Structures are given as C-alpha cells and as structure tokens.
Amino acid sequence: MHTIAVTRPHWQTESDDRALAAAARDGDRSAYAVLIARYRGMAFAYSLAALGNREEAEDAAQDAFVQAYSAMPRFDPNRAEWAAWFMRIVRNRCRDGLRRRKTRRPAEMPLEIMDEAPGPEAVTMADDRRRVLMQAVAALPEAQRVPLLLHYAGGKTRVEIAHALGVPESTIIGRLAGGLKTLRRRFGGEGLI
Amino acid sequence: MNLVCTCVRRRLAALAASGADIEPTSWLARHLAACSDCSRERRALASLAGHLSSARLPEPDEQAFAAAVWQKVDALPAPIHRAAWWQSPGLLAAAAGACALALWMAREPAGVGVAAPPHGPVSTARAGGAAGTVASISPASRPKADLLTTPPPAPVPQAKKPATSGSRAPVIPKLRPGLNPATARPRRMLASAGSATAGSTVAWSDWGSYYEQKGDYRSAAYAYGMAHSEKRDPTTAFAYGRASEASGDLASAMDRYAAVLEQDGG
C-alpha cells in the first residue's frame, strides 16, 4: 500500500500524478483525494465553460471524479497520463450534459459566469456592458468559448488549457485569437470596447 | 486599410492571444507606430482581453466538493467480481465438449476412406442372378499396385452429350476442378502403398473406388471404365455400371450390367 502525504506543493509534476494514480488504483483514498484537490479547479472550470451552469458544472465535475475512481482498476499509469485520461472523462461528461440538454449553447451563462467579487476592471465596467460581453462570449462556438473563458476568466495558462483539451498549444492560441477577433467584430461599431 | 494593415491585424489577434510582446525594432512595431488604425485596433484588443480577464470563474468549495465526490463514490454499488470464463467449471466443460465435438466432426469419417480395392476372390452370386461385388478384403489380399507410382487419372474434358448406344465409348467424365489426384490420394491408399506392387488395373479400380467413396460418381465411372477396358472382368464391369448408374448415366449403366450378365452367362 502506498502512503502519500496529502499536503503537497501546487507545482507537482507528472511523475507525482503517476504515483498518485497508481496508489489510488491500489485503493489509497488519500492519494485520490490529492488528485481531486489538484484537478478540481480545472475540471469545474472546464465544465462551467462548456455547460454555463454552475450546478450542472459541479455535478459534471463530481461525476467525472466518481467515474474515474470506479475506472481506476483499468487505468495503467505507465501507459497513459492521468491528467489527460481524467480530462477526457470530464469532456465526455460535459458532452453528455449538453446532449441531454438538447442544445449546445448555454443560455444562462452570462449571469453565472461572473463571480460575486469581480476584478478591479470589472468594477468600472457597467453591468449592462458586462452582461452584453458575456452574452457575446456565450454565443461563441464552444471551441472558442471554452479556451477564452479558461484563459481570461479562469486564469489557466495556454499550456494547461491545451493539456485539458487534449490539443496542441498552438491550437489554443489560434482559438483564442479567433475568439478575440469575433468579439472585436461584434463590438467594433458599438463603442463597447 | 491596405494589404499590410490586413496582415498586421491578423497578427495582432494572435499576439494578443499568445501574450507575446512586439519587438520594438520589428516591422510590426514600425507599422503600428505609423498606422493609427492598426494601433487603435491593438488597443481595442488589449482592452477586450482586459475586460474578459475581469470576469472570474467561480470555484467550488473545496471541502464540499470533495465530500460530494466521496459520497457519490461510497454510493456506488460494490463491484461484482466476475471470474474469468475458464474459472467457471460449467463453461470450461462446455468448451471442452465443443472442442471434442469439433475434433470428432473434423476427423475423416470411417466410410470416406477408400477401402482396399476389390481383389482376389469376388463373390458374384446375388439374389436374382445379378452380379455383385462383395470383396473380401484381408491384409493378404491387399492390392499389389504401387499406388504412389501409379499415374493418377488426368483431368479430361466434360462430355457434352452422353452417348446412349451400347457400343459407345465410355463416358469421359471431368474430374473435379482443383482436385489434384496426385495429392488427393486417400490416406489409406498411401498407407498401403508400401506393400503394393505394380498393376494398372488395380490402380484404376482403386481410383474408381476412391471417387465412389468421395461421391464423385462420374469420375468413378470413368476410372472403372478405364479399369474395365484394360481387364474385362465382371467385377470391374459391375462397378462401372454401378458408378454410371449413380452418376445418372442409366444407359451406360444398363450396357455395363448387360455385359456382366453376358459374361456370367458365357
């Protein structure tokens, strides 16, 4: 039985993930608790960016952890990276949620995407303008919306997003640029920006 | 906006997305310094990124999130241990039975192998006076032909119209395409070949028996016909007629039976 301390620095490496996944596969709950703490933010942020609803995002992220835990005996840490494997589960859960909802466009995202404690620039931004901007973000295609929200609103790096989405970093940069250009065209003549 | 501006604005979005700085001495920096529209576009993109950064994705409560995950994990049904199929006695016995059945079905049926050719004393007495081939086979009366060296019957073209006259040539059937008689010899023939001696009549009779056992009655009739043409005896004549009858050539069969009766009568 592996014994791994729960308290670990934030900059854990891939080898740590592998050891934690191996320990969790052998039934070590504390190791899986570390994995939950480490990937909870990314899983929830992705789910929220994809689904646009906080409750559904929480459920999707939790269900992804549960599904990953039950599938751990089939996971081989030497053949696959745990983070990529887990984020694939998260993406599938979100896809299932969107399929159940019968629409790919999260309608209520603009009101729920903003935190109760907005940043300093948001204080100076009128609420209506902020709402319009978030509506425009919600109207973006999912391929552009998710990286845009994860990067700017979620504070994730491009490498982290590429890792979470399973695509190269250059693809993330292209999607971010495409989203910015779309928003710029959308608000170019309205004086919003 | 000229072509250079179009290129610059494409680069500006990518630069804003990648967060890369613009080299002060690059052509892009020189263009931005000279073009007010592109410079304004750059500021707009930076402002847009700033507005987007002002939004914050909410984060779930760490304790509540983990507690909910573990609660769902504990609510999972206990995993059912499924033993491998080979660990189940019933399935193992069924698999063994299936293998045995497959082996039994794949083996050569006892009746398919060519019996030793009719050789030696042949009983021709049958009820009603008809001649029969009741061959008494014993190791001593095995054919003396060297079957390995006996040339197999060459494939012959299929007869278009079977002749119906009594004096016609024997029907020349076509051996089955793809069957190489040299390699298709039955195992029993090969096994007994070591003790056999030369004798083409016996060999043609053997081939007739072989094809008859295989159900290829046209080839059997042809082989018996060749044997009968080399050595005219009632045994081969009757076998010739029997094979012809089985192949559907009733006229030829009647001819052969008539020949047998004539020889018996003589």
Side-chain angles (χ1 to χ4, degrees):
Chain A
M1 182 71 72
H2 299 267
T3 56
I4 295 176
V6 176
T7 55
R8 279 180 173 267
H10 185 66
W11 42 266
Q12 290 163 342
T13 61
E14 183 185 328
S15 59
D16 291 329
D17 278 352
R18 184 176 291 119
L20 286 169
R25 189 187 55 182
D26 293 341
D28 189 349
R29 282 192 159 210
S30 62
Y32 197 69
V34 175
L35 288 174
I36 292 175
R38 188 180 298 177
Y39 290 97
R40 166 181 49 87
M42 177 58 86
F44 176 75
Y46 178 88
S47 302
L48 184 59
L51 299 172
N53 181 283
R54 180 167 184 157
E55 290 181 2
E56 289 184 22
E58 278 197 18
D59 280 343
Q62 291 168 1
D63 291 345
F65 277 110
V66 173
Q67 183 177 345
Y69 186 80
S70 62
M72 282 303 278
R74 297 193 298 272
F75 173 69
D76 185 359
N78 297 320
R79 295 184 61 184
E81 190 181 341
W82 193 86
W85 179 74
F86 169 69
M87 286 309 296
R88 196 178 311 130
I89 294 176
V90 174
R91 291 198 298 272
N92 289 334
R93 298 298 300 194
C94 293
R95 205 165 294 145
D96 291 344
L98 288 173
R99 198 177 297 128
R100 277 194 300 271
R101 201 194 289 166
K102 303 286 185 185
T103 174
R104 314 284 296 181
R105 206 48 62 78
E108 65 270 54
M109 174 186 288
L111 299 179
E112 297 195 14
I113 203 75
M114 304 300 292
D115 197 5
E116 290 79 7
E121 289 192 40
V123 175
T124 62
M125 193 176 181
D127 285 345
D128 55 341
R129 292 167 64 185
R130 190 179 64 187
R131 185 176 299 113
V132 169
L133 177 60
M134 284 302 133
Q135 283 175 348
V137 171
L140 287 174
E142 184 183 350
Q144 293 179 350
R145 184 180 71 243
V146 172
L148 211 65
L149 288 173
L150 286 178
H151 181 60
Y152 292 109
K156 309 296 180 188
T157 66
R158 285 173 289 272
V159 175
E160 287 175 331
I161 299 170
H163 204 252
L165 270 63
V167 295
E169 186 186 359
S170 59
T171 302
I172 297 301
I173 292 175
R175 291 180 183 178
L176 288 173
L180 287 176
K181 281 195 288 189
T182 305
L183 292 176
R184 174 73 184 120
R185 279 197 300 271
R186 168 73 175 79
F187 297 110
E190 296 184 8
L192 180 68
I193 298 169
Chain B
M1 187 173 68
N2 55 25
L3 186 61
V4 177
C5 290
T6 304
C7 297
V8 165
R9 292 184 187 185
R10 285 183 183 171
R11 289 290 301 272
L12 286 177
L15 285 170
S18 63
D21 293 330
I22 300 175
E23 289 286 335
T25 57
S26 65
W27 66 272
L28 187 60
R30 289 197 301 271
H31 178 82
L32 288 174
C35 179
S36 59
D37 289 343
C38 291
S39 182
R40 188 166 58 247
E41 180 72 13
R42 182 190 180 193
R43 286 195 299 273
L45 285 172
S47 175
L48 177 61
H51 288 319
L52 288 171
S53 300
S54 67
R56 289 287 180 271
L57 286 177
E59 291 195 0
D61 181 66
E62 182 177 354
Q63 301 297 329
F65 187 90
V69 170
W70 288 119
Q71 187 178 357
K72 290 182 179 180
V73 166
D74 293 336
L76 287 174
I80 300 172
H81 175 67
R82 292 180 178 174
W85 66 269
W86 59 83
Q87 296 175 345
S88 173
L91 287 177
L92 187 61
C99 290
L101 181 64
L103 287 174
W104 181 79
M105 293 181 69
R107 74 180 173 82
E108 185 179 0
V112 170
V114 171
H119 193 265
V122 176
S123 168
T124 58
R126 292 192 67 180
T133 57
V134 182
S136 59
I137 306 300
S138 65
S141 63
R142 284 290 177 99
K144 300 295 188 287
D146 185 357
L147 298 173
L148 285 176
T149 58
T150 303
V156 290
Q158 177 107 26
K160 292 288 185 182
K161 288 183 180 178
T164 54
S165 63
S167 60
R168 64 173 176 78
V171 176
I172 302 175
K174 181 184 178 186
L175 297 180
R176 282 183 299 154
L179 174 64
N180 183 3
T183 58
R185 287 174 176 156
R187 286 197 290 268
R188 293 187 186 182
M189 293 173 69
L190 293 174
S192 61
S195 60
T197 58
S200 61
T201 301
V202 176
W204 281 116
S205 300
D206 277 341
W207 282 114
S209 176
Y210 167 68
Y211 286 122
E212 195 173 7
Q213 295 289 346
K214 298 286 283 184
D216 188 356
Y217 296 109
R218 293 180 66 85
S219 298
Y222 172 73
Y224 282 133
M226 293 299 291
H228 184 63
S229 65
E230 292 181 354
K231 182 182 180 183
R232 297 186 175 275
D233 63 350
T235 303
T236 53
F238 180 77
Y240 188 10
R242 184 184 59 214
S244 299
E245 182 183 0
S247 67
D249 189 359
L250 295 180
S252 179
M254 292 301 296
D255 289 346
R256 300 283 77 76
Y257 290 147
V260 170
L261 292 174
E262 286 175 1
Q263 289 183 17
D264 277 353

